[in-house]
Amino acid sequence: MDHPCVKPNNLDTKESVRIQERLAIYLAFIAGYIDATGLIKWKIYVSFMSGNTTQLGVALSTDKDGVIMTSVIAISCFLLGIYAGACLSLWKKTDYQIFTCYIVSFMLTCYTIIAYIYTIHIGSSIAIIGFSTGLMNTIVTAVGNQKVNTDFVTGTLNSLARNTAMFSMTKDKMERQQYKTHAYHLSLVWIGFISGAYTASLLLDALRNWFLILPALLILIAGLWLSSCTIKP
């Protein structure tokens, strides 16, 4: 019996899109979980940088040094994570998607173990997790020919509304099908993110200091899955 996840050279377009879609939804769930965790525990977003930018602007006008510091740390470390992920994607010697999954899982696992033994400073927690989410953001960037961002909810909703508008306005049958498919993919990514945030709010109290073990395991599973089902970004 053939393996359901075949290599890229043997992978037809529809199957490739399905794999990208599943991966995007899966990563959106993880991003939603991590972002909700940061908001609940430290009153800061570790994935939603638009919110941090707004908080930073308000804090600068009101001289709230604590908010300024955490916002700057979150934004800068998120950017560093994306930079590192982009560099990995340009490094031809490795499958960056798999490698990035393993790096993120390793970082979150190490953080969880250390946090169980010691109290980690809020700034350090935000830096580590913000960098991890930035890295994770580079694993999948498109579903088919529709660009997606697994942790940028504003961009996802923007693209969803645009594709829905174009679907409702065009008369061309092929274009309507394309816009409908794009809108469908984007809506699933959004649902994945909000589901992750909902799950985090339910599990944080129960998991206590082990609150990041779930996303660490999930991203590890993604890496293991991709190792047998390698797709192109």
Side-chain angles (χ1 to χ4, degrees):
M1 181 180 295
D2 293 336
H3 196 284
C5 297
V6 294
K7 299 303 179 182
N9 292 337
N10 300 320
L11 197 64
D12 62 47
T13 301
K14 289 184 178 180
E15 181 63 17
S16 178
V17 170
R18 277 196 292 268
I19 293 172
Q20 292 175 43
E21 179 185 80
R22 293 168 189 168
L23 181 59
I25 297 167
Y26 192 77
L27 293 175
F29 177 90
I30 298 171
Y33 181 100
I34 295 175
D35 204 37
T37 297
L39 181 62
I40 294 169
K41 291 187 69 65
W42 306 301
K43 308 303 179 185
I44 193 77
Y45 301 103
V46 290
S47 177
F48 179 52
M49 293 303 125
S50 297
N52 287 332
T53 301
T54 301
Q55 285 195 132
L56 177 60
V58 173
L60 287 171
S61 68
T62 55
D63 296 324
K64 293 183 178 180
D65 294 338
V67 177
I68 293 173
M69 182 61 67
T70 54
S71 297
V72 168
I73 291 173
I75 294 170
S76 59
C77 289
F78 183 80
L79 288 174
L80 286 173
I82 293 178
Y83 173 82
C87 289
L88 284 174
S89 71
L90 298 172
W91 188 29
K92 303 301 182 181
K93 295 182 179 180
T94 184
D95 189 318
Y96 81 93
Q97 291 177 307
I98 298 171
F99 192 46
T100 302
C101 284
Y102 292 158
I103 291 175
V104 174
S105 179
F106 177 77
M107 291 183 65
L108 296 180
T109 300
C110 287
Y111 175 90
T112 300
I113 294 172
I114 295 171
Y116 181 76
I117 302 172
Y118 303 102
T119 299
I120 301 178
H121 187 268
I122 292 176
S124 298
S125 296
I126 294 171
I128 294 168
I129 300 171
F131 182 84
S132 298
T133 54
L135 264 176
M136 190 173 65
N137 188 58
T138 65
I139 295 174
V140 58
T141 57
V143 174
N145 60 358
Q146 172 62 51
K147 291 184 178 180
V148 297
N149 192 310
T150 55
D151 65 357
F152 183 43
V153 177
T154 304
T156 298
L157 291 176
N158 182 295
S159 296
L160 172 60
R162 286 176 178 273
N163 277 282
T164 303
M166 289 184 284
F167 167 76
S168 64
M169 295 298 292
T170 186
K171 302 299 182 182
D172 185 273
K173 186 175 180 180
M174 290 185 65
E175 287 185 350
R176 283 176 63 84
Q177 182 59 42
Q178 182 183 45
Y179 294 138
K180 179 182 177 181
T181 301
H182 288 171
Y184 174 71
H185 291 156
L186 290 163
S187 64
L188 290 178
V189 171
W190 182 82
I191 290 171
F193 190 96
I194 197 172
S195 298
Y198 174 78
T199 302
S201 66
L202 293 179
L203 296 182
L204 280 184
D205 289 340
L207 293 177
R208 298 180 181 275
N209 289 345
W210 293 90
F211 57 90
L212 287 180
I213 199 63
L214 177 59
L217 289 173
L218 291 177
I219 196 70
L220 175 61
I221 292 171
L224 294 172
W225 179 55
L226 285 174
S227 67
S228 62
C229 182
T230 306
I231 63 173
K232 293 182 179 181

